[in-house]
Amino acid sequence: MENPSKACRIILFPLPLQGHINPMIQLANILHSRGFTISIIHTQFHSPDPSKYPHFTFHLIPDGLSEDQASIHEILRVLHLLNTDCIGPARECLRKLLSTHDDIACIITDAMMYCSKDVVENLGIPRIVFRTSSICSFLAFATLPLLQEKGYYSNNNLDSRREDPVPELPPLRVKDIPSVQRPDPKHALKIIRNMVEGTKMASGLIFNTFQDLEEPNLANLYDHFRMPTFLIGPFHKFFSAASSSLLTQDRGSISWLDTQKPHSVLYVSFGSLAAMDENSAREVTWGLANSKQPFLWVVRPGLVQGSEWLEWLPNEFMEVTSQRGYIVKWAPQQEVLSHPAVGGFWTHSGWNSVLESICEGAPMICSSFFGDQTLNSRYVNDAWKLGIKLENELKREEIESAIRKIMLDREGQEIRERLLCLKEKIDVSLKTDGFSSQYLNALSDLISSFRSAGL
Ligand code: UDX
């Protein structure tokens, strides 16, 4: 009998940012391995390289972003522009595809490309939303209108309540609520509301997460989003994210790790978007230096505001750490985390990084800069107990103490043991009858059913 998925084409519509492109390309590979044909509608901005994926077809749409507007440092503006300027071109592209292909089953779009609900309007194509972050952070976003009603955004005494719990969303504290500290949170709130409302209108919801980690959040999720939901992660256990890296991964980091002792190195990376001022960067350097632990540090150009790359680094730091520190612009992160020399990960708590760390059993030190990172880091620290959250502004003494706890103390060892248990659960989940595999089967069935029902 013909495999029904063989007859089906899925259109993917990613958000063109590193932390979103990686899991969308991984999802494309997962679905392709299930027999689906994959077409990707993509922007010029952060365009994928089609030559790396001869098994997919690519359809470029103009995004209207100028070089200047495309600065990833103004992420809210980029999100707004993409969601405004892409509607027409994406709709036209999709309309053409629908008129030339009779095998299209559905479109899968990033939740942050909320304009997709307008793109598909009246075209009669089912839309599945893929949220690239955790369920716990998505729930916090979905609860924002309630939190707004309860006054979390208008209270003048917010500073004095920062440490208070948010009873509506344990274990969150007031200071964890996204955008609450901004002088004018309206713009961010509008984008979040669009994402949440756009998702509520979808025919299905995909997460790159796994049941054993986020089960306690599922009932609450179904209250907000009444639709078939699929927890099919961690994606990188199926396919690596290396091929979709927008920056060149420096393989010197692996050769350097090869010279280090097992579990001795702290890997430090703050992802593709985070930026810090020079004062904070100096606290990071001295925290690393004073901890006396070997480290591999990804200093992405642009990480330190106003700098080209490393010109702000004190010479003294270079001298003190030359024997035990290695700095690169961008690393093959998954390979780094699975290297035997790595004993811990100081992360910005982006969801891909958290998942990759969990899968490789690396205890985390969690910083956070914006959006879901604050929420993910709270869950890592308080709910899952898989790392230590740096609660306040970056200070060298706190950094040094957290590094020592993770790399040398009993606390780090206990976290490593918890991670080992979770790793085993992930392996079971990916087996034929495990949770992630079952969700993937159900997702394949849903997509195939769209096709058999006809568009
Ligand atoms: C962004 C947001 O910051 C994050 O909060 C959200 O969850 C997803 O979108 P980003 O900052 O890039 O993502 O962080 P993250 O989600 O961790 O994704 C980074 C990806 O880049 C990971 O897949 C990681 O493996 C990869 N990476 C990172 C590298 O390949 N090399 C590096 O040196 C650093």
Side-chain angles (χ1 to χ4, degrees):
M1 203 179 91
E2 192 194 1
N3 176 356
S5 59
K6 281 242 154 33
C8 287
R9 179 182 300 271
I10 303 170
I11 313 284
L12 299 184
F13 188 30
L15 173 71
L17 297 176
Q18 183 74 83
H20 295 250
I21 295 172
N22 281 2
M24 188 62 104
I25 292 286
Q26 288 167 319
L27 178 62
N29 275 315
I30 292 168
L31 292 170
H32 182 264
S33 72
R34 287 285 173 130
F36 293 102
T37 306
I38 303 294
S39 294
I40 301 180
I41 299 179
H42 66 95
T43 54
Q44 184 73 50
F45 176 59
H46 287 176
S47 167
D49 176 357
S51 69
K52 289 184 182 164
Y53 314 98
H55 49 310
F56 303 154
T57 54
F58 289 85
H59 305 273
L60 174 67
I61 56 165
D63 48 50
L65 284 180
S66 64
E67 281 278 302
D68 171 42
Q69 287 170 324
S71 156
I72 55 171
H73 300 303
E74 289 199 56
I75 192 68
L76 289 178
R77 200 152 72 99
V78 170
L79 284 173
H80 171 72
L81 288 171
L82 283 170
N83 275 286
T84 312
D85 295 348
C86 286
I87 299 179
R91 190 171 161 76
E92 185 50 26
C93 179
L94 184 59
R95 208 185 48 71
K96 269 196 196 139
L97 283 170
L98 286 165
S99 66
T100 48
H101 295 77
D102 62 3
D103 57 351
I104 297 173
C106 69
I107 183 166
I108 300 181
T109 79
D110 193 295
M112 294 299 285
M113 287 303 262
Y114 49 81
C115 68
S116 57
K117 73 176 189 330
D118 300 316
V119 170
V120 302
E121 203 178 350
N122 296 328
L123 292 181
I125 177 171
R127 184 176 63 106
I128 295 178
V129 162
F130 170 34
R131 176 58 187 156
T132 54
S133 192
S134 54
I135 293 178
C136 54
S137 68
F138 197 50
L139 272 173
F141 288 139
T143 313
L144 286 188
L146 173 73
L147 299 184
Q148 200 175 13
E149 250 173 53
K150 296 215 163 185
Y152 286 101
Y153 286 88
S154 53
N155 195 313
N156 294 331
N157 299 321
L158 208 55
D159 277 349
S160 62
R161 296 175 48 206
R162 281 175 55 80
E163 299 296 333
D164 288 358
V166 179
E168 295 82 2
L169 280 175
L172 297 189
R173 301 186 196 171
V174 169
K175 65 180 179 185
D176 302 329
I177 299 175
S179 311
V180 87
Q181 294 100 341
R182 285 174 183 272
D184 174 17
K186 278 196 195 117
H187 194 41
L189 278 173
K190 196 170 163 205
I191 286 181
I192 291 170
R193 197 172 303 123
N194 284 337
M195 170 179 78
V196 170
E197 293 310 313
T199 301
K200 285 185 176 164
M201 294 162 72
S203 305
L205 181 53
I206 301 172
F207 284 97
N208 178 15
T209 188
F210 58 102
Q211 175 103 1
D212 291 292
L213 188 68
E214 300 225 59
E215 188 151 26
N217 302 316
L218 283 179
N220 197 359
L221 180 78
Y222 295 137
D223 278 348
H224 285 276
F225 301 92
R226 294 165 189 273
M227 64 188 68
T229 301
F230 310 95
L231 283 56
I232 56 178
F235 287 2
H236 68 280
K237 295 298 274 185
F238 297 89
F239 289 96
S240 152
S243 69
S244 49
S245 186
L246 295 167
L247 297 171
T248 306
Q249 298 181 324
D250 185 335
R251 299 206 53 81
S253 46
I254 302 294
S255 319
W256 181 78
L257 284 173
D258 288 343
T259 65
Q260 304 298 311
K261 291 192 188 123
H263 294 302
S264 66
V265 176
L266 178 74
Y267 172 57
V268 186
S269 170
F270 303 121
S272 64
L273 297 171
M276 58 177 71
D277 60 26
E278 222 176 291
N279 277 343
S280 302
R282 276 183 208 284
E283 295 304 308
V284 174
T285 53
W286 290 114
L288 285 173
N290 298 344
S291 77
K292 306 213 166 29
Q293 298 305 301
F295 62 87
L296 166 63
W297 185 10
V298 175
V299 180
R300 199 192 71 241
L303 172 69
V304 179
Q305 286 151 356
S307 74
E308 288 289 321
W309 190 34
L310 296 180
E311 63 276 15
W312 54 273
L313 260 187
N315 288 337
E316 204 188 335
F317 170 79
M318 297 296 237
E319 283 156 25
V320 173
T321 60
S322 63
Q323 297 303 309
R324 59 181 168 82
Y326 195 78
I327 297 180
V328 293
K329 289 182 175 167
W330 197 244
Q333 179 161 304
Q334 277 173 241
E335 233 180 297
V336 164
L337 285 170
S338 64
H339 195 287
V342 169
F345 181 13
W346 180 6
T347 170
H348 66 309
S349 314
W351 186 240
N352 296 291
S353 293
V354 170
L355 266 186
E356 289 162 14
S357 199
I358 291 176
C359 286
E360 300 310 336
M364 285 168 266
I365 297 172
C366 292
S367 289
S368 58
F369 294 78
F370 60 84
D372 63 330
Q373 299 163 12
T374 328
L375 303 157
N376 296 336
S377 59
R378 174 63 61 213
Y379 272 81
V380 169
N381 186 90
D382 290 35
W384 304 327
K385 303 194 186 319
L386 301 176
I388 297 172
K389 179 171 166 64
L390 295 175
E391 294 282 352
N392 306 308
E393 264 175 44
L394 293 170
K395 286 275 172 270
R396 61 191 73 183
E397 296 78 13
E398 280 178 43
I399 295 168
E400 178 189 343
S401 151
I403 295 175
R404 290 177 163 278
K405 276 186 194 157
I406 286 286
M407 301 297 291
L408 304 173
D409 292 356
R410 177 86 205 132
E411 198 169 338
Q413 190 47 39
E414 285 169 2
I415 293 175
R416 218 162 274 126
E417 283 157 20
R418 275 194 286 279
L419 282 162
L420 210 58
C421 291
L422 214 45
K423 257 179 93 170
E424 283 166 14
K425 288 184 175 166
I426 293 173
D427 290 342
V428 172
S429 181
L430 295 170
K431 289 201 170 127
T432 324
D433 53 353
F435 283 124
S436 294
S437 300
Q438 287 182 33
Y439 278 121
L440 183 53
N441 290 341
L443 174 64
S444 303
D445 289 347
L446 178 72
I447 295 172
S448 301
S449 77
F450 290 147
R451 189 67 216 127
S452 5
L455 288 179

